Amino acid sequence: MADTIEKNVTRGGQFLVKETKCEDVFTPEDFSEEQLMMRDSVKEFVDKELWAHKDRFEKKDYAYTESSMRKAGELGLLGVAVPEEYGGLGMGFVSTMLVCDYISGATGSFSTAFGAHTGIGTMPITLYGTEEQKKKYVPKLASGEWFGAYCLTEPGAGSDANSGKTKAVLSEDGKHYSITGQKMWISNAGFCSVFIVFARIGDDKNITGFIVENDPSNGISMNEEEHKLGIRASSTRQVFFNDTKVPVENMLSERGNGFKIAMNALNVGRIKLAAACLDAQRRVTSNAVKYANERIQFNTAISSFGAIRSKLAEMATNAYAGESASYRAAKDIEDRIAAREAEGTSHQEAELKGVEEYAIECSILKVAVSEDVQSCADEGIQIFGGMGFSEDTPMESAWRDARIARIYEGTNEINRMLSVGMLIKKAMKGHVDLLGPAMKVQEELMGIPSFDTPDFSELFAEEKGIIANLKKVFLMVAGSAVQKYGPDLDSHQQLLMAASDILIEVYMAESTILRTEKLAKNQGEAKVQEQIAMAKLYLYKAVDIVNSRGKEGIISFAEGDEQRMMLMGLKRFTKYTNNPNVVALRETITSKLVAENEYCF
């Protein structure tokens, strides 16, 4: 089966060693009529119910978050990813990303409640539950009659999720488990109806998942709401289980399978978190453009000042890159799911394996887009100046809400190391051939470089060559590091972090170039000059990052002739033949933003 699927769909991580054609990537311009209608209805809901009442979220109106969630349920928005037989809309992965994207931009409080409920609150039952469990719980969760929460984190178990101390003890009659323990940072705890709880049975190596109904008379109690930097109206509480009785039929999947459930839920959560950061960037950028056009200093609008124009161009470029990469990966996952289903795999298994296949891309996106949304909000404050620091404008809440995105669904540090670690494991299993291409790069380093003048007449000819070279940088650094440290590479975290930044920039830059190349072929270069400028600008910045992180990585483990050779290779692989005029690229982008008075791509 796997061989058949591989012919049809590129495997996760293979972007690094296979050339992808622009025709083979999905872009936001490819949304169907149905998807565009879904997007517009979500935007209408957000503008009317969330953006118009933003102050209520900032004033910790938890009841309004709950009532907004109920309205989203009535519109069917909580069941987009739920199969139709359990009361959902049964839409594909791209559509679920689209809804997550556009429903999340107004306020992080609602975005967190929505993500926790539809993702880690509902999905473990949909994907791992028995038929009885799905029929009992999923329709209520899909409609918003019930809300879900996910109890994994403990005071001593954060990133090390499998180290939890919560215990589950089987009763003498074998009919129920008694769960005792403490969970913290539980989103939606204040209004949820059902928890997904992870606990350890006996001395099991791995934790086990349970579906636990929220009944205070059954040994369940909570602390007061946590007071947080951002996402202020998302309910976040500590939850205590004291001899809480759970029927044996409420075990989720098999005994000891909880860690796997938790990790797979996080894979989906990571790519959905990237989506949840996209519309926030669009809104912040649009607000910044409007303010810059209206704010007069020295008798002119500040949108005419180069320092401001540079910021707006970078904000828009990062948002565009995030869209490009997120929807590329979403469609790859959707295609993988479809291919598995076509082979006769159940929907549950197909979706699990489909997302798991692209766990590397999920981690890449989580890191890149969560950091871009923080940068965007920070620059938004700066463009607003003193007003940006005031609660009267939307910038400071956007900045506070963005901050959590780098922490949850696995910290960005964990995800950086995971992305490289997972890629190396895939190579060891033979799923991605890294060894062959890495050996070719070593041979190239020993050879004499070509001095021929390349033909750059085609759009992005030089840029695609540079992306191919940036891939060589990763193969050079990571390949040599694996040779040197072998299984001990995990303990060299700073080196892994440097390698992961190279990997991230390769995927993000390539996705942006491919989207824009496809757009130019479909619409003509003349109509997409601003998108071309953004693709070139993003790549230029990526090259700088790869150069810096590559140098840091090489110097950390190579010495003497080996170091000199690799540094020369790095210089060769990050060199432009024709350096782009970055100031002119930014001007092209900002001119369009200022004329349209919003993010318009």
Side-chain angles (χ1 to χ4, degrees):
M1 184 199 297
D3 290 341
T4 312
I5 291 169
E6 192 168 352
K7 285 174 192 170
N8 298 331
V9 186
T10 301
R11 299 197 71 148
Q14 280 188 334
F15 71 88
L16 192 65
V17 291
K18 283 180 77 172
E19 184 183 352
T20 304
K21 293 184 169 64
C22 71
E23 293 83 5
D24 296 335
V25 298
F26 181 87
T27 75
E29 291 75 30
D30 297 323
F31 289 144
S32 66
E33 284 299 317
E34 183 187 34
Q35 286 169 332
L36 291 172
M37 285 170 63
M38 176 67 79
R39 180 194 67 185
D40 292 344
S41 66
V42 171
K43 285 168 75 173
E44 185 182 346
F45 166 77
V46 170
D47 288 336
K48 182 182 171 187
E49 302 293 343
L50 308 181
W51 189 260
H53 302 282
K54 198 166 166 63
D55 59 321
R56 296 184 69 168
F57 294 103
E58 297 315 308
K59 289 171 182 170
K60 304 182 183 179
D61 191 340
Y62 302 106
Y64 192 70
T65 301
E66 183 180 352
S67 69
S68 299
M69 283 286 287
R70 294 210 186 278
K71 287 175 183 172
E74 289 163 12
L75 291 171
L77 300 176
L78 302 182
V80 174
V82 173
E84 291 180 66
E85 59 263 41
Y86 308 113
L89 298 179
M91 300 185 92
F93 200 83
V94 171
S95 295
T96 69
M97 282 280 285
L98 181 67
V99 171
C100 185
D101 172 355
Y102 282 91
I103 210 165
S104 300
T107 165
S109 297
F110 183 87
S111 174
T112 301
F114 177 86
H117 171 76
T118 57
I120 52 182
T122 302
M123 194 177 51
I125 306 176
T126 310
L127 296 183
Y128 287 95
T130 63
E131 194 59 30
E132 291 73 25
Q133 288 169 347
K134 286 187 284 189
K135 283 178 178 172
K136 182 176 180 181
Y137 294 108
V138 176
K140 290 180 179 178
L141 293 167
S143 68
E145 180 185 343
W146 279 21
F147 294 116
Y150 182 83
C151 296
L152 178 64
T153 304
E154 299 183 14
S159 295
D160 185 9
N162 203 33
S163 64
K165 301 288 190 289
T166 297
K167 290 287 182 187
V169 179
L170 186 63
S171 62
E172 286 185 13
D173 62 10
K175 290 184 177 178
H176 67 262
Y177 284 92
S178 290
I179 294 181
T180 301
Q182 175 186 358
K183 301 291 184 176
M184 65 191 302
W185 310 123
I186 308 306
S187 296
N188 295 353
F191 59 85
C192 81
S193 315
V194 63
F195 298 103
I196 307 295
V197 181
F198 295 90
R200 195 177 310 277
I201 302 171
D203 295 323
D204 286 2
K205 178 185 175 185
N206 291 323
I207 52 181
T208 297
F210 296 89
I211 303 168
V212 182
E213 293 182 24
N214 184 7
D215 177 3
S217 68
N218 188 19
I220 299 174
S221 59
M222 300 182 198
N223 273 6
E224 291 299 308
E225 293 285 356
E226 300 283 354
H227 297 288
K228 310 179 293 291
L229 171 70
I231 56 171
R232 287 180 169 176
S234 73
S235 175
T236 312
R237 293 187 172 189
Q238 289 192 49
V239 182
F240 301 89
F241 299 95
N242 184 17
D243 199 23
T244 300
K245 292 175 175 52
V246 184
V248 291
E249 56 267 26
N250 274 32
M251 180 186 286
L252 193 57
S253 187
E254 302 160 10
R255 177 172 174 170
N257 212 28
F259 185 61
K260 189 173 182 181
I261 296 171
M263 291 305 99
N264 280 330
L266 287 173
N267 285 335
V268 182
R270 283 163 185 156
I271 189 169
K272 292 286 181 70
L273 178 60
C277 293
L278 295 175
D279 198 50
Q281 290 181 76
R282 295 187 201 102
R283 285 177 183 266
V284 167
T285 303
S286 289
N287 274 285
V289 171
K290 285 181 174 72
Y291 185 82
N293 277 337
E294 293 165 6
R295 175 69 168 165
I296 305 297
Q297 291 289 280
F298 309 105
N299 296 320
T300 186
I302 65 170
S303 60
S304 65
F305 298 149
I308 301 296
R309 293 174 77 83
S310 170
K311 293 180 188 300
L312 292 172
E314 300 281 355
M315 291 158 74
T317 295
N318 287 340
Y320 179 77
E323 290 172 355
S324 307
S326 296
Y327 285 105
R328 172 191 184 183
K331 188 61 163 66
D332 282 342
I333 291 171
E334 184 170 290
D335 288 347
R336 185 81 176 172
I337 293 167
R340 283 198 169 270
E341 286 183 322
E343 296 284 359
T345 308
S346 71
H347 175 74
Q348 278 175 292
E349 186 69 12
E351 188 148 329
L352 276 170
K353 293 296 183 185
V355 176
E356 192 178 351
E357 178 64 46
Y358 293 95
I360 295 163
E361 286 82 352
C362 292
S363 282
I364 286 171
L365 287 163
K366 191 273 177 181
V367 173
V369 187
S370 68
E371 292 182 359
D372 284 342
V373 73
Q374 184 83 61
S375 170
C376 182
D378 195 70
E379 292 289 41
I381 289 176
Q382 198 69 12
I383 290 167
F384 271 66
M387 284 303 293
F389 206 69
S390 166
E391 288 188 3
D392 291 337
T393 63
M395 290 298 159
E396 63 88 34
S397 62
W399 184 88
R400 285 187 289 97
D401 283 352
R403 187 60 186 86
I404 188 63
R406 285 154 57 197
I407 298 171
Y408 57 21
E409 308 295 348
T411 66
N412 282 12
E413 291 71 26
I414 288 285
N415 274 287
R416 277 185 160 88
M417 290 183 287
L418 267 176
S419 61
V420 178
M422 289 188 292
L423 184 61
I424 291 169
K425 281 179 185 164
K426 275 194 164 232
M428 301 287 189
K429 289 179 181 176
H431 293 175
V432 178
D433 177 20
L434 291 187
L435 186 61
M439 295 292 288
K440 284 182 182 172
V441 173
Q442 285 194 340
E443 289 169 17
E444 189 175 339
L445 289 176
M446 302 293 287
I448 300 167
S450 168
F451 294 103
D452 294 342
T453 304
D455 176 13
F456 292 145
S457 56
E458 292 272 321
L459 176 66
F460 292 138
E462 178 165 15
E463 286 76 14
K464 287 198 279 189
I466 287 170
I467 284 171
N469 282 340
L470 297 186
K471 293 177 182 182
K472 291 175 187 175
V473 174
F474 179 85
L475 291 165
M476 175 177 71
V477 174
S480 299
V482 169
Q483 280 183 321
K484 175 147 190 166
Y485 296 118
D488 293 334
L489 183 60
D490 282 355
S491 61
H492 296 269
Q493 291 192 352
Q494 293 187 54
L495 174 55
L496 281 172
M497 299 275 278
S500 79
D501 280 346
I502 299 169
L503 189 65
I504 289 165
E505 293 306 324
V506 166
Y507 189 71
M508 300 300 290
E510 181 181 64
S511 300
T512 311
I513 293 283
L514 290 171
R515 174 188 181 181
T516 311
E517 184 187 9
K518 185 176 184 180
L519 199 57
K521 282 186 177 181
N522 290 337
Q523 296 186 18
E525 289 181 38
K527 289 186 177 177
V528 293
Q529 286 302 303
E530 295 81 16
Q531 288 91 332
I532 291 169
M534 287 191 287
K536 289 184 174 183
L537 177 61
Y538 190 93
L539 178 61
Y540 181 84
K541 305 277 283 189
V543 169
D544 269 357
I545 293 167
V546 170
N547 196 5
S548 169
R549 300 298 271 153
K551 185 177 180 182
E552 183 183 321
I554 290 164
I555 291 171
S556 76
F557 70 83
E559 296 176 340
D561 288 343
E562 182 191 18
Q563 185 190 98
R564 277 191 290 277
M565 184 177 70
M566 289 177 75
L567 288 174
M568 283 172 62
L570 177 68
K571 188 175 180 181
R572 189 197 308 178
F573 295 146
T574 55
K575 182 182 176 185
Y576 276 91
T577 301
N578 302 304
N579 281 296
N581 182 339
V582 178
V583 173
L585 293 176
R586 291 196 193 109
E587 276 300 304
T588 298
I589 300 159
T590 311
S591 294
K592 179 75 168 175
L593 290 168
V594 168
E596 298 287 339
N597 204 30
E598 63 179 355
Y599 179 85
C600 50
F601 307 109

